[in-house]
Amino acid sequence: MPAPLTFLLTTAGLLSALGGLTGCEDSDSSSEGNSAPTISDISAEGAPILPGGQVTVSVDSERTDGQSLDYDWFPPAGWSGPDSSTSSITLTAPKKQAAQGEVVTYACDEDERCAKAAIEIATRGPAIESFQVDPLPKEAGDTATFTVDAYNRDGRDLTYDYRIGGTLGASNQGEEWEWTAPEMAMGGRYLLEGIVTDSDDLTATASTETKFKSAAVWSTFGGNRQRTGQSQSADAEGAQDTIKWEYSTGDLVWSSPAVGPDGTVYVGSDDDHVYALNPDDGSEKWSFGTGGAVRSSPAIGADGTIYIGSYDNKVYALDPDTGDKEWSFETDNSVLASPAVSADGTVYIGSTDHHLYALDPESGDVEWKVETGDPIFSSPTQGADGTIYVGSDDGHLYALDPEDGQERWRFKTGDDVQSAPAIGPDGTVYFGSNDHNLYALDPEDGTEQWRFATGEGILSSPAVAADGTIYVGSSGGNFYAVDPDTGEEEWRHTTGNTNRSSPAIAADGTIYLGSNTSGLYALDPENRGEKWRVDQIGDVSFSSPAIGPDGTVYIGSWDKSIYAIE
């Protein structure tokens, strides 16, 4: 608990104890027979105050000969106000709870003899001195204790809430809370937060981050909730160039496969079906017919439920064992984007009806929806703190609150955004636009950190390697490795063909990438070149690779087939 607010009053007679003041002479009452300035009091009217409020700081000062004084004011960082040369100043507090600092003033005469005074000012609200999660949970079944050490300088009662990856874990708890981790549907990074609130509804938040494996091996397009494209299996080292099996559907395959906990491969086809395939031999376990082409890619929930969209305007929830429909939700136009599944199971998916939907995983009912200016082809991505990021053909990338869809910020590019965002280890948001640029944005406010110009449109979604390197393909046939800190090109590989397929990264760093005429590439990041390619699988225009637990790579083709390559 910090000490009560006090003020430090320093007259000219104490300057020697403070080591002197730069630019001011020590007071000398014998100088020209005049007395030095003195400050008898300093006060802060209205402190502590609400965040964003105003406080007036005043001093009582004098000279015995009545000579006027000039004042220099030095507010603490974050507190703003107009310059003042009078005996008072009005400051605006930062919009932050429990912000505090010291205001310093000098009262000086024309001989540059000064008196100094200082006072602490603060905003109201709680503050968290320490936050611990012990032990840090890593997988389903781990039990952790959350401990918050907090105070409120006004002595008000505090309530404690806890949040997991943007989802409320518990409310109105005590200073300690025990939590057992459930299965996390899409894996990736999760922010663990303690939130303290006082009776004025002012809050303080502290957090730490952990990383969970997903319930499935490759649970969604991009592999995890941050869509980094990284395999989470240590055994998923580089495959070779051998076709293990081929399964023929009745039409083109745009959809990207997902791989379930038992290795089952789930994928859609333009023949209006969703398929579940045996990973050993590619035999069909089941198929489910929709009313239109299935270009959306599946997302696998924590309980194994398969969520996928269709050209028939619907989003489906399917039983992973039988393919039976659990529910469907109808939008006003086709659904080509792939779903994201949050920590609490909420299903987020965009439609070409211009809306992003949040759906209840049990019923398919709409929890909220947000309208953008144009169709949504981009698949939503979820940050560690739960923020939903999604692109639209209106040229914007949106950051949305996962609980109610409220817009946190938006960023405008020069063309449509069909690329799904990928989130770096520090939260940076990476995505491509058809304006020929790859962007890196600050997750807090959407400010641009850098952009990388490719000279060609970007429909591919970026991947983020374990060392942070950003990989992305362009419509002109170039594949780029980009430095995450500077946005500068590290190297490129030219396929000579359109790269709309998004990269996947194996445990050994091998990068897999589809091409519209050259099949599947395997690239070596160390040698910055091609390891091998399998070109007999035809046109891999949009389907992106998925990596199984043993390193097998699954991908769809416009030759109407799905392939397993080992």
Side-chain angles (χ1 to χ4, degrees):
M1 180 72 68
L5 293 178
T6 60
F7 71 86
L8 170 63
L9 180 61
T10 305
T11 64
L14 296 179
L15 289 179
S16 60
L18 294 173
L21 295 171
T22 303
C24 292
E25 295 181 0
D26 286 357
S27 301
D28 183 354
S29 59
S30 65
S31 175
E32 300 180 2
N34 296 328
S35 63
T38 60
I39 296 177
S40 59
D41 188 33
I42 183 169
S43 62
E45 182 182 349
I49 62 175
L50 290 174
Q54 290 187 324
V55 59
T56 298
V57 181
S58 304
V59 292
D60 291 332
S61 57
E62 61 181 10
R63 271 188 51 143
T64 57
D65 60 5
Q67 186 185 96
S68 63
L69 300 174
D70 288 326
Y71 298 83
D72 287 324
W73 291 93
F74 299 90
W79 298 69
S80 60
D83 292 337
S84 174
S85 60
T86 68
S87 60
S88 67
I89 188 171
T90 298
L91 299 173
T92 300
K95 295 180 179 180
K96 178 181 177 184
Q97 292 80 243
Q100 67 182 86
E102 188 178 68
V103 182
V104 178
T105 187
Y106 297 99
C108 301
D109 64 17
E110 60 186 15
D111 297 319
E112 296 187 353
R113 294 176 301 178
C114 302
K116 172 188 175 185
I119 188 171
E120 278 196 356
I121 55 176
T123 57
R124 291 164 58 180
I128 296 176
E129 292 201 309
S130 66
F131 174 67
Q132 292 182 326
V133 180
D134 187 37
L136 201 62
K138 299 289 187 182
E139 58 186 38
D142 286 352
T143 297
T145 300
F146 289 58
T147 305
V148 179
D149 181 11
Y151 66 88
N152 184 291
R153 55 173 45 91
D154 301 322
R156 298 174 185 269
D157 292 336
L158 301 175
T159 59
Y160 299 80
D161 298 334
Y162 298 91
R163 200 159 48 204
I164 315 297
T167 298
L168 184 65
S171 61
N172 295 317
Q173 301 294 309
E175 297 175 12
E176 285 192 354
W177 175 60
E178 190 173 87
W179 178 67
T180 299
E183 288 279 6
M184 294 296 184
M186 291 175 66
R189 294 180 295 109
Y190 288 80
L191 201 65
L192 311 178
E193 298 174 280
I195 305 104
V196 180
T197 307
D198 69 9
S199 54
D200 284 331
D201 288 331
L202 297 174
T203 64
T205 302
S207 63
T208 188
E209 197 174 280
T210 191
K211 190 173 183 179
F212 281 93
K213 287 187 174 182
S214 63
V217 175
W218 191 273
S219 59
T220 184
F221 167 68
N224 54 49
R225 73 191 310 229
Q226 279 86 46
R227 303 200 191 277
T228 61
Q230 293 182 38
S231 172
Q232 65 181 7
S233 174
D235 297 326
E237 297 187 353
Q240 302 304 309
D241 56 357
T242 302
I243 297 176
K244 181 179 180 181
W245 52 256
E246 173 187 353
Y247 178 85
S248 296
T249 73
D251 211 328
L252 311 179
V253 180
W254 296 56
S255 175
S256 302
V259 183
D262 63 354
T264 300
V265 180
Y266 302 98
V267 67
S269 169
D270 269 20
D271 68 3
D272 304 352
H273 283 79
V274 182
Y275 293 93
L277 306 177
N278 190 309
D280 296 325
D281 56 11
S283 58
E284 182 181 312
K285 289 187 173 183
W286 55 256
S287 64
F288 174 81
T290 74
V294 183
R295 296 182 178 180
S296 171
S297 301
I300 304 173
D303 62 356
T305 301
I306 309 302
Y307 302 101
I308 196 167
S310 170
Y311 248 89
D312 66 4
N313 303 354
K314 293 180 180 180
V315 181
Y316 292 91
L318 306 178
D319 184 288
D321 298 320
T322 64
D324 293 338
K325 182 177 74 174
E326 296 182 355
W327 53 257
S328 64
F329 169 76
E330 187 165 4
T331 74
D332 291 329
N333 213 327
S334 56
V335 181
L336 284 75
S338 302
V341 184
S342 72
D344 66 353
T346 301
V347 180
Y348 302 98
I349 191 165
S351 168
T352 58
D353 70 3
H354 303 192
H355 287 85
L356 179 78
Y357 295 90
L359 305 179
D360 183 284
E362 299 297 327
S363 64
D365 293 339
V366 178
E367 295 183 355
W368 54 259
K369 64 179 180 179
V370 171
E371 185 174 10
T372 69
D374 271 308
I376 297 177
F377 295 93
S378 170
S379 298
T381 300
Q382 195 165 31
D385 66 350
T387 301
I388 305 297
Y389 302 99
V390 68
S392 169
D393 272 18
D394 67 8
H396 289 89
L397 184 84
Y398 294 84
L400 306 173
D401 188 296
E403 294 184 358
D404 55 15
Q406 287 294 311
E407 184 178 312
R408 292 181 172 171
W409 52 259
R410 71 172 73 178
F411 178 85
K412 182 169 180 55
T413 74
D415 210 327
D416 52 89
V417 180
Q418 297 187 12
S419 172
I423 313 297
D426 62 354
T428 300
V429 184
Y430 303 99
F431 71 100
S433 169
N434 254 343
D435 71 0
H436 302 183
N437 288 293
L438 173 72
Y439 291 92
L441 305 184
D442 186 302
E444 294 298 321
D445 55 12
T447 54
E448 182 179 322
Q449 296 182 350
W450 51 255
R451 70 177 67 183
F452 171 73
T454 64
E456 310 115 358
I458 301 176
L459 296 174
S460 171
S461 300
V464 183
D467 65 358
T469 303
I470 312 302
Y471 297 113
V472 70
S474 73
S475 297
N478 288 309
F479 179 77
Y480 299 92
V482 181
D483 185 288
D485 298 320
T486 64
E488 296 177 352
E489 180 180 324
E490 294 186 352
W491 54 272
R492 73 172 72 180
H493 182 80
T494 301
T495 66
N497 307 290
T498 300
N499 291 327
R500 295 178 178 176
S501 173
S502 301
I505 306 170
D508 67 352
T510 301
I511 307 155
Y512 302 107
L513 177 71
S515 170
N516 71 333
T517 58
S518 300
L520 180 73
Y521 283 85
L523 304 179
D524 186 336
E526 296 296 326
N527 297 325
R528 303 183 172 187
E530 185 177 316
K531 294 176 73 171
W532 51 260
R533 79 173 82 166
V534 178
D535 54 14
Q536 59 265 46
I537 66 174
D539 183 344
V540 183
S541 281
F542 282 93
S543 183
S544 299
I547 302 175
D550 61 354
T552 300
V553 179
Y554 303 99
I555 196 165
S557 171
W558 276 14
D559 71 1
K560 306 181 183 181
S561 292
I562 300 153
Y563 292 90
I565 298 169
E566 62 179 0

